[in-house]
Amino acid sequence: MNIITSKANNVVKKAKKLHQKKYRSESYLIEGWHLFEEALASQARILRIFALAEYEERLAAFSQTIFVIPEILSDLADSKTPQGIVAELVFEEQNIPEKLEGAYLFLEDVQDPGNVGTIIRTADAAGYQGVFISSHSADIYNLKTLRSMQGSHFHLPIYRVSREDMLALARQNDLQILASTLSEDSVDYQKVEKHEDFLLVMGNEGQGISQEMTDAADVLVHISMKGQAESLNVAVAAGILMFALS
């Protein structure tokens, strides 16, 4: 068994570059056994597997395995305590279906990777049909986002679109637009009439939804606060609304 011991190795250097979005044009990294098992279950195309030598027997069936020393694995991983495996996967292109039916989510400029990943994972759990992400939202292939999603991107279609295209798609498919914001015109989510086909919109952590989205929404919804906190984290708010409105 050959073990790579140098961070200067070309394969290692190329994989390390995938930490940066500009190099993720064709592939991306995942880390940890849970995501690796999810990738296998979804039949994702695995280009390379970087692992510690102690997992040789467990990975015997995978010819694309490259064994590395712990220092290299830690460098390829993003977490403080990597689990001994990092894999490089090929991007799977997602095409927007001709007809949108059911519950969908649009993240308008949600920028924190942890928030984006948590919201997508919750959308998966709540049975949503897909998630749309604006061009200024966090990259779903950021390692922090991937850890927060816990494999939900293998189960749930995720599309990156502009705000304008999102609004056009909603109109073309007769999706009721429910946008989360607190204003004089918004209503408590518990009073909102349920719809089979709708688009729930969550806005930026600091600025909320845009004026364009406010103007286009069919219903503006908010979560009434019983305590003294002024607002909720966007991922927490999204979780409450996704389950309540679907």
Side-chain angles (χ1 to χ4, degrees):
M1 174 178 55
N2 293 322
I3 301 177
I4 294 178
T5 59
S6 172
K7 293 181 181 180
N9 178 278
N10 286 333
V11 176
V12 171
K13 288 168 64 177
K14 185 178 179 181
K16 174 69 173 179
K17 285 184 176 180
L18 295 177
H19 283 209
Q20 301 177 60
K21 184 178 179 180
K22 65 180 179 180
Y23 293 110
R24 292 196 293 264
S25 59
E26 299 178 353
S27 61
Y28 66 100
L29 297 179
I30 60 170
E31 65 169 287
W33 288 102
H34 174 72
L35 285 183
F36 180 68
E37 296 293 342
E38 288 280 357
L40 291 179
S42 68
Q43 298 183 328
R45 185 181 168 195
I46 302 173
L47 287 179
R48 296 178 186 85
I49 301 168
F50 298 92
L52 300 180
E54 63 194 81
Y55 298 112
E56 180 183 14
E57 184 175 343
R58 185 171 179 178
L59 294 168
F62 301 96
S63 60
Q64 65 271 56
T65 302
I66 299 169
F67 293 104
V68 297
I69 60 175
E71 290 78 8
I72 291 177
L73 191 78
S74 295
D75 202 41
L76 291 176
D78 185 59
S79 61
K80 293 182 179 179
T81 55
Q83 298 177 24
I85 185 169
V86 170
E88 180 181 351
L89 308 186
V90 175
F91 279 126
E92 299 292 339
E93 187 175 348
Q94 298 280 3
N95 295 314
I96 299 173
E98 292 184 8
K99 180 63 177 175
L100 299 178
E101 295 178 320
Y104 289 87
L105 178 70
F106 178 53
L107 303 184
E108 185 183 30
D109 301 351
V110 178
Q111 296 178 337
D112 180 79
N115 284 337
V116 169
T118 299
I119 292 170
I120 291 172
R121 182 180 179 185
T122 307
D124 182 16
Y128 275 54
Q129 302 304 306
V131 176
F132 292 87
I133 299 179
S134 71
S135 54
H136 294 295
S137 290
D139 180 16
I140 67 166
Y141 297 106
N142 175 294
L143 280 169
K144 184 177 180 181
T145 312
L146 287 163
R147 281 203 310 276
S148 298
M149 286 192 293
Q150 284 294 297
S152 284
H153 71 296
F154 293 125
H155 318 146
L156 189 66
I158 303 170
Y159 316 99
R160 190 171 287 273
V161 298
S162 66
R163 179 195 307 118
E164 293 74 20
D165 287 346
M166 184 73 265
L167 290 173
L169 283 167
R171 294 189 188 102
Q172 290 167 13
N173 290 276
D174 295 321
L175 297 180
Q176 187 85 351
I177 301 176
L178 310 176
S180 174
T181 189
L182 178 60
S183 72
E184 294 180 356
D185 299 317
S186 62
V187 298
D188 187 280
Y189 75 98
Q190 297 178 85
K191 299 178 181 178
V192 175
E193 180 183 351
K194 289 191 175 183
H195 297 267
E196 287 189 9
D197 304 321
F198 69 91
L199 177 72
L200 173 62
V201 182
M202 303 301 300
N204 174 267
E205 290 90 342
Q207 304 300 318
I209 61 173
S210 65
Q211 187 60 51
E212 292 87 345
M213 190 59 70
T214 300
D215 295 339
D218 295 297
V219 183
L220 299 174
V221 301
H222 68 254
I223 300 170
S224 298
M225 302 293 167
K226 294 183 178 180
Q228 297 185 47
E230 293 183 358
S231 63
L232 292 172
N233 168 275
V234 65
V236 173
I240 294 171
L241 294 175
M242 279 190 280
F243 275 94
L245 298 174
S246 62

